[in-house]
Amino acid sequence: MNPLLSHLQPYPFERLRQLFAGVTPPAHLSAISLGMGEPRHATPAFIQGALTAGLGGLASYPATAGEPRLREAFTGWLGRRYGLALDPATQVLPVNGSREALFAFAQTVLDPTQGTPVVVCPNPFYQIYEGAALLAGATPYFAPSDPERNFAVDWDSVPDSVWQRTQLLFVCSPGNPTGAVMPLAEWEKLFALSDRHGFVIASDECYSEIYFRDEPPLGGLEAAARLGRSDFKNLVSFTSLSKRSNVPGLRSGFVAGDAALMKAFLLYRTYHGSAMGPAVQAASVAAWGDEAHVADNRAQYRRKFAEVTPILARVMDVRLPDAGFYLWGQVPQQLGLSDTEFARGLLAQYNVTVLPGSYLAREVAGANPGAQRVRMALVAETEECVQAAQRIAQFIQTRST
């Protein structure tokens, strides 16, 4: 066995399963899960139609680089969304969802022959960042989020001695679980650090199309272009259709950026055997070419958050995020409960599942920045999410008296 596998921690949902062992929720209350960030709005019919219409290509092996029309769909969307002009032949690649791509990209760019490489991650963070780093023989370094700045990552807290050994930086904007969006000044700071130390920036942007303000979130490639970095040196962005188009089962996304990194990543993916099937390519072309369904999806989330957030804000510290579909709430201190005890008690009494924040972070310098918080994924229909919020409020009010 690969000895590095022993360094992996249990995935958050496995830890949640263990936490809930022995809990019998009340049978008279329907189960409501806010635990997993799995989109549950209906998949648009035209995407399903494009998928089935593409089944005629199953007799041929697909190219790892994807069909030209697929890559042109990527660059066309980047142009409309961010005002960017990328070369479809050299600066974009299809991937089977951002999760597998984030993992594979780390295996491509990390070089363990140069000492033990460091991978800097936000904290809390998407667990794939840590797993990708560990299985590439790297050491993760966790940069904490700052609650006083709406959970923006405190990059200034990372010592220069760590940046000097860093080969890869994972950025998540909008963030999971906090929903924080990085402004241009923050990108400028990271680009300067990348230039100084030579590390690669992997920008995870899978929540970019679910936002609550009039202005859409700034993307990494967009930030680079605004700052005159049109070659996107040492920068790759990762995006996906899962949240944008409600197709998590399609496993479709793309990466874009530095042409030299794309060339190396294509080589890795060719050997890894990660080509996208022709039917998925056809459905993806259709999805990237339409914005009406994305606007409707975004409107559904806005209405949902507008109804749910005030209910929870009356009983706990929770605020509307910049973007994404999570609420990142603080367990009220007067309850005297840890985030895991809160989650277990809520399930036992009200049959609502939330994810303990400590499961999404790592302890650094004696503190876990996710502790005493819970992540609530508002992915179900509005009525169900409102009902869950009302049960959570009742749970807190009952335990507070």
Side-chain angles (χ1 to χ4, degrees), residues 175-233:
N176 173 10
T178 68
V181 172
M182 284 179 34
L184 186 63
E186 206 163 328
W187 280 109
E188 188 171 22
K189 177 186 299 183
L190 294 181
F191 292 149
L193 286 165
S194 173
D195 289 343
R196 188 180 314 146
H197 300 293
F199 59 77
V200 172
I201 300 174
S203 179
D204 181 357
E205 302 175 11
C206 69
Y207 296 95
S208 68
E209 304 312 290
I210 303 171
Y211 53 89
F212 305 99
R213 312 184 195 289
D214 292 334
E215 184 178 353
L218 178 69
L221 299 179
E222 180 186 18
R226 289 189 188 181
L227 295 169
R229 304 173 64 90
S230 57
D231 61 351
F232 309 118
K233 180 182 178 182

Side-chain angles (χ1 to χ4, degrees), residues 129-173:
Y129 307 156
E130 179 188 58
L134 292 171
L135 286 176
T139 299
Y141 182 93
F142 302 105
S145 300
D146 182 0
E148 299 303 316
R149 295 191 299 130
N150 201 20
F151 301 99
V153 180
D154 184 8
W155 303 114
D156 291 334
S157 69
V158 181
D160 195 61
S161 59
V162 171
W163 289 124
Q164 289 173 6
R165 296 183 292 121
T166 298
Q167 292 188 13
L168 177 62
L169 165 65
F170 280 115
V171 170
C172 189
S173 179

Side-chain angles (χ1 to χ4, degrees), residues 40-83:
R40 286 161 57 189
H41 295 173
T43 298
F46 80 92
I47 297 178
Q48 298 182 47
L51 180 69
T52 56
L55 292 174
L58 296 182
S60 302
Y61 284 114
T64 304
E67 297 177 10
R69 69 182 186 124
L70 177 64
R71 298 196 301 272
E72 289 165 2
F74 300 156
T75 56
W77 181 78
L78 289 168
R80 294 187 299 274
R81 172 64 169 82
Y82 298 111

Side-chain angles (χ1 to χ4, degrees), residues 64-341:
T64 304
E67 297 177 10
R69 69 182 186 124
L70 177 64
R71 298 196 301 272
E72 289 165 2
F74 300 156
T75 56
W77 181 78
L78 289 168
R80 294 187 299 274
R81 172 64 169 82
Y82 298 111
L84 301 172
L86 276 75
D87 183 352
T90 62
Q91 291 184 297
V92 291
L93 284 175
V95 296
N96 299 311
S98 56
R99 177 174 176 169
E100 73 88 1
L102 289 161
F103 180 87
F105 187 71
Q107 317 312 306
T108 302
V109 301
L110 293 175
D111 180 3
T113 68
Q114 304 300 311
T116 301
V118 169
V119 175
V120 175
C121 310
N123 196 23
F125 62 98
Y126 181 42
Q127 305 299 287
I128 294 301
Y129 307 156
E130 179 188 58
L134 292 171
L135 286 176
T139 299
Y141 182 93
F142 302 105
S145 300
D146 182 0
E148 299 303 316
R149 295 191 299 130
N150 201 20
F151 301 99
V153 180
D154 184 8
W155 303 114
D156 291 334
S157 69
V158 181
D160 195 61
S161 59
V162 171
W163 289 124
Q164 289 173 6
R165 296 183 292 121
T166 298
Q167 292 188 13
L168 177 62
L169 165 65
F170 280 115
V171 170
C172 189
S173 179
N176 173 10
T178 68
V181 172
M182 284 179 34
L184 186 63
E186 206 163 328
W187 280 109
E188 188 171 22
K189 177 186 299 183
L190 294 181
F191 292 149
L193 286 165
S194 173
D195 289 343
R196 188 180 314 146
H197 300 293
F199 59 77
V200 172
I201 300 174
S203 179
D204 181 357
E205 302 175 11
C206 69
Y207 296 95
S208 68
E209 304 312 290
I210 303 171
Y211 53 89
F212 305 99
R213 312 184 195 289
D214 292 334
E215 184 178 353
L218 178 69
L221 299 179
E222 180 186 18
R226 289 189 188 181
L227 295 169
R229 304 173 64 90
S230 57
D231 61 351
F232 309 118
K233 180 182 178 182
N234 281 337
L235 173 66
V236 172
S237 70
F238 297 70
T239 191
S240 164
L241 288 173
S242 295
K243 281 79 174 175
R244 173 189 182 272
S245 299
N246 296 310
V247 286
L250 193 66
R251 308 314 303 135
S252 176
F254 71 86
V255 297
D258 185 330
L261 293 173
M262 290 294 98
K263 183 178 180 180
F265 198 31
L266 174 59
L267 175 62
Y268 178 93
R269 298 182 68 74
T270 300
Y271 276 83
H272 190 58
S274 50
M276 181 182 289
V280 175
Q281 291 194 46
S284 301
V285 170
W288 289 114
D290 181 82
E291 287 299 318
H293 77 285
V294 183
D296 177 71
N297 190 45
R298 185 161 50 243
Q300 290 185 61
Y301 280 112
R302 286 181 169 179
R303 289 192 297 269
K304 191 184 310 184
F305 273 75
E307 291 195 38
V308 170
T309 307
I311 297 172
L312 293 173
R314 288 194 287 267
V315 295
M316 67 193 309
D317 178 11
V318 66
R319 67 195 76 171
L320 187 71
D322 293 336
F325 52 44
Y326 300 115
L327 284 175
W328 184 235
Q330 186 168 22
V331 176
Q333 187 174 0
Q334 70 269 19
L335 299 185
L337 299 174
S338 68
D339 56 315
T340 53
E341 291 168 336

